[in-house]
Amino acid sequence: MPTVTQAVEALVRATVDMPDAEMDRAWVWREYDEEGLRFALLLAQHELRELAVRLAAMRPAPPTQAQRILGQYHSAYRDLTGAVAGLRDDDLDRAPAEGEWPVREVILHMFGADHGFLGTVQYARDPDRPADEEEAGDRWPTWRKEHGYAAPGSLPGGIADVRNAMFEVHRRVLRELEDLRDEDLERPAGFWDGVKPIRFRLHRFEAHYVQHTIQIDKTLEAIGRGPSEARRLVRVLYRDLAAVEMLSDDFGQRERGDVAKTIGERAAAIIRT
């Protein structure tokens, strides 16, 4: 049985490359027979939204503040996933204008920032970190390399490789920071912009993604690869998948399984036709 994420990915693969004209193709669900194929995606979005509400109601304990912030970051990550869905490998290195970054360079910058933000928070939490800010600053470059928070200087390969690299650092952020307590958020964390609380550092993950996902949007428009209707709908799917993914799979297995089965079967039916 596929997970909800796997089912959504199958539906994305089945539809993301379709031209706008294909969205008018006949597709019927119960009484709904006039919206065309686009309704297959809109209905999946409806199902994800409903599932998120049901799962949230089952949650045994409220999330911590850090978990809420990381949920916002995950939503921004999924928006980025949607923004680059359907891109071809050669889209990565086409600059919108002389001297401006292509998509690969923008994502490399985001990739490096995630490593830097994560390292900053973890350095602030390290019990062996010097109390003296000047000494702590001197040790930071070495500590960062020793603990694996120095990002590689390149992101080689095609769009699948780039997406995988972003997924891995994103997953690392979620795993390493999910145990932050509310009181930890006020601890000081120094970076290039001075000393600010961990709370501020956590919110920078999302804010930075929002800033540069917009840059990617503008870049794709400039190189003639602005989103089709299918890609716009896929982006909405990823956005609403985020809320489901951030709810622990320790509960709601039946509800998750029902939605995954429905969306997966829908994707298979679209591929067959």
Side-chain angles (χ1 to χ4, degrees):
M1 175 68 67
T3 64
V4 175
T5 298
Q6 290 168 337
V8 169
E9 291 285 6
L11 184 58
V12 168
R13 290 192 298 271
T15 58
V16 70
D17 293 325
M18 288 183 173
D20 286 357
E22 277 291 288
M23 293 293 101
D24 291 322
R25 195 172 89 194
W27 193 83
V28 178
W29 182 80
R30 298 181 184 176
E31 298 84 4
Y32 295 83
D33 59 0
E34 298 181 354
E35 302 293 341
L37 187 59
R38 62 180 57 82
F39 197 70
L41 293 164
L42 291 167
L43 185 58
Q45 186 248 353
H46 178 121
E47 291 156 346
L48 290 171
R49 298 285 278 184
E50 181 178 334
L51 177 61
V53 171
R54 289 181 181 276
L55 293 176
M58 297 177 190
R59 189 169 193 157
T64 64
Q65 291 185 54
Q67 288 168 344
R68 292 182 187 276
I69 297 170
L70 291 173
Q72 294 170 341
Y73 163 58
H74 184 61
S75 181
Y77 164 78
R78 275 309 188 191
D79 190 49
L80 170 65
T81 304
V84 301
L87 293 197
R88 303 177 300 230
D89 289 350
D90 59 4
D91 294 328
L92 286 171
D93 299 305
R94 295 171 59 195
E98 185 177 354
E100 295 186 6
W101 286 355
V103 171
R104 188 191 303 275
E105 196 68 24
V106 179
I107 296 179
L108 175 62
H109 173 72
M110 299 167 79
F111 184 68
D114 267 12
H115 281 82
F117 296 156
L118 177 58
T120 297
V121 174
Q122 295 296 63
Y123 189 40
R125 301 173 74 192
D126 189 335
D128 296 325
R129 180 183 184 275
D132 179 84
E133 283 299 328
E134 184 173 347
E135 184 181 355
D138 291 341
R139 290 192 185 179
W140 159 247
T142 300
W143 184 94
R144 181 181 182 183
K145 291 179 181 178
E146 289 176 347
H147 291 79
Y149 296 108
S154 64
L155 281 177
I159 185 65
D161 301 297
V162 170
R163 282 186 56 174
N164 286 339
M166 286 302 295
F167 169 76
E168 290 299 334
V169 68
H170 176 73
R171 180 169 61 174
R172 183 179 181 186
V173 171
L174 296 180
R175 286 180 173 175
E176 291 194 16
L177 301 184
E178 67 178 355
D179 65 337
L180 279 165
R181 302 165 302 174
D182 288 355
E183 55 267 32
D184 294 330
L185 301 184
E186 309 312 323
R187 293 174 61 175
F191 202 33
W192 67 267
D193 56 351
V195 178
K196 292 178 173 60
I198 285 177
R199 180 186 301 277
F200 176 88
R201 302 300 178 197
L202 288 188
H203 280 292
R204 281 299 296 153
F205 283 103
E206 179 200 10
H208 196 255
Y209 266 45
V210 170
Q211 175 185 352
H212 291 290
T213 299
I214 291 172
Q215 183 179 359
I216 288 172
D217 289 341
K218 293 170 64 177
T219 298
L220 293 176
E221 289 284 357
I223 66 174
R225 289 287 285 147
S228 62
E229 182 178 0
R231 285 175 56 200
R232 291 179 192 275
L233 290 167
V234 160
R235 189 163 180 175
V236 171
L237 277 187
Y238 277 124
R239 181 198 70 194
D240 289 318
L241 173 63
V244 173
E245 290 178 321
M246 286 304 291
L247 288 159
S248 168
D249 60 5
D250 293 337
F251 53 88
Q253 291 299 325
R254 180 178 61 80
E255 289 78 6
R256 294 172 197 269
D258 289 347
V259 171
K261 182 175 184 291
T262 297
I263 294 177
E265 289 177 350
R266 189 174 302 144
I270 291 171
I271 292 172
R272 286 196 300 270
T273 59

